[in-house]
Amino acid sequence: MTVINNRGVSAIESAFERGKILIPYLVAGFPDEKSSLECMKAAFNAGADMLEIGVPFSDPIADGAVIQHAQDRALRNGMTLRKTLRLAADLAADLAADLAADLAADLAADLAADLAADLAADLAADLAAD
């Protein structure tokens, strides 16, 4: 399962056009459900372009020992496919909320700059008229 960053689907194409990209792999539910969500958010905050979320299963013999251990621990903590999908949805919602907050802050800054410019122009016109 791959969750893309808060720039949307086109982020996949644009990321590959830039050249090298960072796609961390994290096992859902490792070390526990709450911490894994925080780790996923941290990966994006640290600059990950995308994130591959590993769905824990009981026989990951093709994976290395570290991933096997993480999956085993996640399963022992009760991680399921349903919980993994919910975790991905929670991550997407958090990223969308962060994006909305960033856009709102950018919009507010742009509006404030426009307002300041308009006020300065009006003041200059008033001073020139005197």
Side-chain angles (χ1 to χ4, degrees), residues 4-82:
I4 59 173
N5 69 13
N6 57 14
R7 293 184 299 260
V9 174
S10 64
I12 294 173
E13 293 172 351
S14 65
F16 281 103
E17 289 171 1
R18 289 191 314 267
K20 295 178 181 178
I21 62 173
L22 176 61
I23 309 174
Y25 174 85
L26 297 172
V27 175
F30 177 81
D32 56 64
E33 191 172 346
K34 181 180 177 185
S35 297
S36 67
L37 179 60
E38 294 304 317
C39 289
M40 291 173 191
K41 290 182 206 176
F44 280 110
N45 290 334
D49 295 289
M50 292 176 251
L51 175 65
E52 183 174 357
I53 300 173
V55 178
F57 60 101
S58 61
D59 194 20
I61 59 170
D63 296 318
V66 172
I67 293 174
Q68 289 176 10
H69 170 75
Q71 291 191 4
D72 181 60
R73 185 162 169 192
L75 288 170
R76 283 188 280 122
N77 288 338
M79 185 54 64
T80 63
L81 176 58
R82 182 179 303 275

